[in-house]
Each structure stands twice: as structure tokens, then as C-alpha cells.
Amino acid sequence: MNISKLRFKTSSLAALSVGALLLGGCSDNDHTSPAPVTPPAVTPTMQDYTISVTNLTANQPMSPIAVVTHEADSVLWSSGESASLALETLAESGDASGLTDETGVTELVSGAGILMPGASEEISLSLDSNSVADLSVVTMLVNTNDAFAGFTGYDLSSLAVDESMVFRVITYDAGTEANSEAKGTIPGPADGGEGFNAARDDTDKVHAHPGVISSDDGLSDSVLNASHRFDNPTLLIKISRTE
């Protein structure tokens, strides 16, 4: 055998083997998957609202307006259902503080004080975009046994910047205290009597209020008179989104 030819063949095989190893070692590196990218956190933006409330009655002062934010699909009352303890307390005494303990409630903002007949008040509300859900506005007619007015469960997320929604709301009877109008049973200036009483001696169901009877209408034991009557609507509420 020709020794020079053998050496050439051996060298060629060695070169091919080295080339194959180099190619095999590089093939996986060309297809390495990139590291996953974590999207940046979204910073919540603030959304500002103004709630304007006007007392439309002739002689029914309203307790400090309660503006309540709560989780979607939750309400503070339903007609035909029993009032919660917090709603009973508000409807009989004007104290709204217990509403903060209601299921789903996230914030309670109160008005500056008693809203007199014919008067208006604006209440500001600022929420981050992750907290915008439902809104309720409620107050007691203080020259009654257990009357309250307002609305519950309005979806704030449906309101765009510079848009407004107007509500003309009726008065409800909490159904927790009989509408006797008797001396000592009404907390407002017409009587200066008792506020909250845990005993329930009425229908125990929230319903549209039948109205005041008064001493001028023949209810001899009533501390109210014709000026305390009210027609629906009793409140004008305007919600505006400003930012």
C-alpha cells in the first residue's frame, strides 16, 4: 500500500470528525429560548366625582348625607326585605356610621351636617381606578319615625369624564318603627325625642313611605303638622365625574 495515500485518508477522516463535533456542539445554542418578559405594573389612576344633593321638602331636615362606595352587585337595602341593623339605626336616628360594617362597603363619606329644606350640598369623592364600583347615597328625614331617602347600587364605572347622572329619589319607610308620630318618638326638631330603638314594631320590611298624617289631618297624638308633609321626590341627587 502507498503510505502517502494512507496518511491522506487518515488526516481527512480526522478533519471530518472534528468538524462534525464542532457542528454538533453549536446546534443547540442557536435556538435558545429568550427569558420571559414581565410586563410593567399598571399604576392606578385617580377618578374624581362630585355628588350634589338638594333637599326638596318644605319642612323635613335631612341627617348628614351618607355617600357610600361598595363592591359591585351589593346594595344597602331592597324593597320588601328587612332593613339591616345599620340601616335601621340611620332611619331612626340619622346615624350612618354603622354602614361601614355592611358587607361589601369600602368607604363612607358624610356630609357637613344637617341638610335643611331647600338647601344643597356638594360632597367630593376620589377613588383609584381599581376601587371604582357601586355607589349609594342615603339620609334620614329627621321629622319622622323611620323614613329615609336615597338610592343604592349605582354602577360608577359607567360614568365617563365630564358626564353626569341625575336622580330624583323617593322616601322609604324602614319598617322598623311604627309611624305613630307620637311625642318622644321622633329625633328631629319637631319633637326632639328618641332616636334608635332596637325593638321593631312595624312591618319589618323596607317599602315606599306612605307619608306623614300629622295633627292637622286628625291624628291627635301627632307632634307633626301639615308643614312636615312631603311629596316624592324628596331629594335631587346629581353625580358628576370630573376626572
Side-chain angles (χ1 to χ4, degrees):
M1 178 181 293
N2 189 315
I3 295 176
S4 62
K5 289 184 178 179
L6 179 61
R7 287 175 178 169
F8 175 77
K9 289 181 179 180
T10 303
S11 298
S12 297
L13 289 172
L16 288 172
S17 298
V18 170
L21 288 171
L22 289 172
L23 288 173
C26 295
S27 61
D28 289 340
N29 292 338
D30 291 340
H31 301 284
T32 303
S33 299
V37 177
T38 303
V42 178
T43 303
T45 57
M46 299 308 292
Q47 298 185 3
D48 296 336
Y49 301 86
T50 299
I51 296 88
S52 175
V53 184
T54 302
N55 182 343
L56 301 178
T57 70
N59 195 11
Q60 283 289 344
M62 305 286 182
S63 65
I65 306 298
V67 175
V68 183
T69 60
H70 43 99
E71 296 172 357
D73 302 322
S74 62
V75 293
L76 297 183
W77 70 85
S78 295
S79 293
E81 301 292 330
S82 294
S84 66
L85 177 59
L87 183 63
E88 176 188 11
T89 303
L90 179 145
E92 294 182 9
S93 70
D95 179 6
S97 60
L99 295 176
T100 57
D101 297 326
E102 294 288 81
T103 301
V105 168
T106 55
E107 187 172 355
L108 167 65
V109 180
S110 295
I114 296 294
L115 186 64
M116 298 302 291
S120 298
E121 179 180 11
E122 288 189 351
I123 298 171
S124 297
L125 187 65
S126 186
L127 304 170
D128 72 57
S129 55
N130 293 332
S131 301
V132 174
D134 284 3
L135 183 77
S136 297
V137 179
V138 61
T139 179
M140 177 195 181
L141 283 69
V142 298
N143 282 329
T144 67
N145 289 99
D146 61 343
F148 68 95
F151 67 81
T152 185
Y154 171 68
D155 182 5
L156 270 182
S157 66
S158 64
L159 204 62
V161 176
D162 295 328
E163 283 190 343
S164 299
M165 179 64 70
V166 175
F167 297 84
R168 293 172 175 83
V169 303
I170 70 168
T171 293
Y172 295 89
D173 190 323
T176 57
E177 182 176 308
N179 298 327
S180 66
E181 303 176 16
K183 185 173 179 56
T185 68
I186 292 175
D191 179 30
E194 178 184 60
F196 171 72
N197 187 320
R200 298 195 176 193
D201 59 356
D202 200 0
T203 63
D204 201 18
K205 287 180 172 54
V206 175
H207 57 278
H209 201 286
V212 166
I213 298 177
S214 90
S215 57
D216 292 336
D217 302 308
L219 186 59
S220 58
D221 291 336
S222 175
V223 296
L224 305 181
N225 57 50
S227 72
H228 299 112
R229 297 176 189 152
F230 53 85
D231 294 320
N232 289 315
T234 48
L235 283 183
L236 177 67
I237 304 171
K238 182 179 181 181
I239 304 171
S240 304
R241 182 176 170 188
T242 57
E243 188 173 337

